[in-house]
Structure formats: structure tokens, C-alpha cells
Amino acid sequence: MTARTLPRVLTAAATTLLVLAGGTACSTDVAGADPDRVDVVAAFYPLQFVAERVGGDAVTVTNLAKPGAEPHDLELNPRQVGQVSQAELVFYLKGFQPAVDEAVAQNAADRAFDVTGVAPLRDATAGGHEHEHEGEADHAEEEGGGKDPHLWLDPTRLATVADKLAERLGAVDPDRAADFTTRARTLRSELEKLDTEYAVGLKTCQRREIVVSHAAFGYLAERYRLEQIGLTGLTPDTEPAPQRLAEVAREAREHGATTIFFETLVSPKVAETIAAEVGAKTAVLDPIEGLSADGGGDYLSVMRTNLTSLRTALGCS
């Protein structure tokens, strides 16, 4: 047993006893089962994607948010709290999932990698046509100081997160630090290629405004000179106020929007209502907060599907 694995084994044993005492243990799904791999708990899908790509076969990655589930409102069960307690590294984004923040603070503060520490988050309402309806500003403050957490929709930012994760994994497992760095460089190359595809694909378009059901696309809009018009703010299941619906409908007509975007994990009903009112169609623009329940594709393929949808909606040449 190595010096690296001993603290993990002791922690795992203690946590397992606690979970068993509560009658909620699940012996077949416990982090720390493989002493030859670094146990990483990822808070939601984009972080899982990065951890798996950078860690490769040197890590075991557990995603707290299940496919098909909306990750904003994730509630952790005792087994998941145990996974956080046992993990050698918890990869999360502070302010995005309050239950994860609490579990990290109580059980893994010294083993957590917070993505918000990599680079400053943008303001939730910065730039473009991103307006707040009544009560939204206060809610944004509750979600983390009015900051937009969806940084992974800018591939260049996600590449920087991958670089920093490689450094952190290297500190946990120095023997494989060079491997983590190499894989992060490979992922960076793929993300930079994706960034170029977006820049070229969205360079010449008839319109630059995107009407979306959930204002998750601020980083994408900022990177590729688009303007986001959101039906709701940072929380996807917020019911938009009637005045906000009227305002979005007006802006959609002004900009000649042909498409109202909705997302995979949230009901399309509001988007369909606006689309019918302004004579537009609806289409999916995926914020990639999680994969759909069928698990098809990965971050890169979904981003490329999004690019195709944007090019069609915006009339790009």
C-alpha cells in the first residue's frame, strides 16, 4: 500500500462505517474501490468529460448528476455524500449546485478543485440583449453573486480548466503527472480546433441574436460575437413573467428571429409559445449541463451539433 492510498483507505473505511450506521450503504458503488487510480468526483457532466479525458486510465470518475437530470437543483443522497467524503479530488463549480457546495465544505474542503478559481466568471447579465425581468436580479445574487457559471460553453475556457486539472491531478499522483499534462495538451488541441470551427462557422451570418429559453449561453455569445436574448435567467426552470415574454416576442420580431431555442433537459412549452406568436420554429440548443438519458454523444459532438443549429438559425454562409 502506497503513502498516497493509505489516507484514502482510512477515510473510505470511516465513511463506509458512517453510511452503514445510517442503513444506506451501497457496497457496490463506493468511491475508492481501486487503489491504483485517483478517485475523482465530478459535480456534473462537463467536469466529468474533462476529468475523464485528462485523467485517462489513471482515474476513476464519478458524476454526481445522473444523465437526463437537471443538475442545478441536484440533491445529494447519503451514498453520494459518502462519495464526496471518500474522493481524493472533488471537481466542482462553486455556486452552481448548493448541495455540492455544502458537501464539499463539510467533507472535502482540503480535496476540492473549484473551477471558479481558474478564471473569473462573467457577470450573468453582461452585454448584449440579456435583460433581467422582475425578481431575476435578486435570484441571480442568490445563485452566486450574479455570476454566470456556464463557462464550458467557451471551449478556450474549458481548455484552461483542463490544464489546471492536470496540475491538480499531478499533485495528487506525482508519478503520473507527465501523463496528465500530455492528455490535457491533447484535449486543448481538440478544443482549440472546435473553437476555430465556431469562429469560422459563425463569422458571416444574417443575424447575430439568439433567442434561448435559458440564459446559459453568455460565454458562447461573448466568444463568437453573438447576442443572447433569454426567456429566463440562470435558472432553467424559472417561470418567465408575462412582461418578459412580451419583451422577448418584441425583440424576436425586431431581429427577424427564425428560431426560438429550447434545451434538452427542460420543457419546451414556453419556447413553443413564443415561436407560435412570432411565426418562428423551435430547435434545440444544448447548454451541455448534462447528457440526455440516452447518453448519446459527448461534449465535443454536442457542441458541433449546436454549431449546426446556430448556423441554420442565424442564416450563416
Side-chain angles (χ1 to χ4, degrees):
M1 184 176 295
T2 67
R4 182 178 72 81
T5 60
L6 180 57
R8 171 154 48 111
V9 171
L10 293 175
T11 301
T15 303
T16 300
L17 287 172
L18 289 172
V19 175
L20 283 169
T24 55
C26 180
S27 60
T28 61
D29 192 10
V30 177
D34 188 345
D36 295 324
R37 298 187 178 194
V38 179
D39 295 312
V40 178
V41 166
F44 57 102
Y45 172 69
L47 303 189
Q48 175 194 356
F49 170 77
V50 171
E52 290 176 341
R53 289 297 306 273
V54 173
D57 59 7
V59 302
T60 299
V61 181
T62 301
N63 184 358
L64 293 175
K66 302 306 180 185
E70 214 299 313
H72 283 81
D73 301 321
L74 174 69
E75 296 294 337
L76 301 182
N77 59 40
R79 175 180 56 80
Q80 291 172 307
V81 174
Q83 290 171 334
V84 171
S85 300
Q86 296 170 40
E88 289 182 272
L89 187 66
V90 181
F91 191 24
Y92 80 119
L93 196 159
K94 187 175 182 179
F96 185 58
Q97 297 162 296
V100 176
D101 294 352
E102 181 179 358
V104 167
Q106 293 181 357
N107 302 285
D110 60 337
R111 290 169 284 110
F113 175 37
D114 176 12
V115 174
T116 65
V118 173
L121 298 181
R122 70 188 295 278
D123 291 337
T125 56
H129 289 253
E130 297 168 302
H131 304 297
E132 292 173 343
H133 58 264
E134 183 178 353
E136 183 178 313
D138 292 338
H139 189 67
E141 291 295 326
E142 293 172 4
E143 288 187 324
K147 298 296 183 180
D148 184 351
H150 304 87
L151 60 86
W152 58 89
L153 292 172
D154 176 347
T156 64
R157 287 180 180 252
L158 193 62
T160 299
V161 170
D163 293 339
K164 296 299 183 181
L165 177 64
E167 293 177 9
R168 187 63 183 267
L169 286 172
V172 176
D173 189 353
D175 292 341
R176 289 182 278 198
D179 294 336
F180 299 137
T181 299
T182 297
R183 282 191 284 264
R185 287 173 180 166
T186 298
L187 180 56
R188 171 172 283 279
S189 295
E190 295 181 50
L191 292 170
E192 288 175 347
K193 178 183 177 183
L194 177 66
D195 176 55
T196 299
E197 292 174 17
Y198 262 79
V200 173
L202 298 175
K203 182 177 181 180
T204 307
C205 304
Q206 296 176 22
R207 294 168 294 279
R208 304 210 70 82
E209 298 81 17
I210 54 173
V211 184
V212 296
S213 60
H214 167 209
F217 299 92
Y219 290 94
L220 187 148
E222 181 178 70
R223 178 70 181 171
Y224 305 111
R225 297 183 299 107
L226 304 177
E227 295 188 52
Q228 174 180 234
I229 303 171
L231 287 166
T232 65
L234 293 177
T235 304
D237 55 0
T238 299
E239 191 71 25
Q243 59 266 35
R244 180 58 185 160
L245 292 176
E247 183 179 7
V248 171
R250 176 182 57 78
E251 291 191 12
R253 291 191 188 96
E254 286 179 358
H255 297 296
T258 63
T259 306
I260 309 298
F261 287 110
F262 66 95
E263 58 191 72
T264 52
L265 301 182
V266 178
S267 171
K269 290 182 179 179
V270 175
E272 290 170 347
T273 299
I274 293 292
E277 184 173 342
V278 302
K281 61 182 180 180
T282 59
V284 170
L285 193 64
D286 196 333
I288 325 182
E289 294 170 349
L291 293 181
S292 59
D294 59 19
D298 66 1
Y299 170 85
L300 294 170
S301 65
V302 176
M303 281 290 284
R304 289 190 168 98
T305 298
N306 279 348
L307 176 57
T308 298
S309 299
L310 287 167
R311 284 177 50 79
T312 298
L314 299 177
C316 303
S317 59

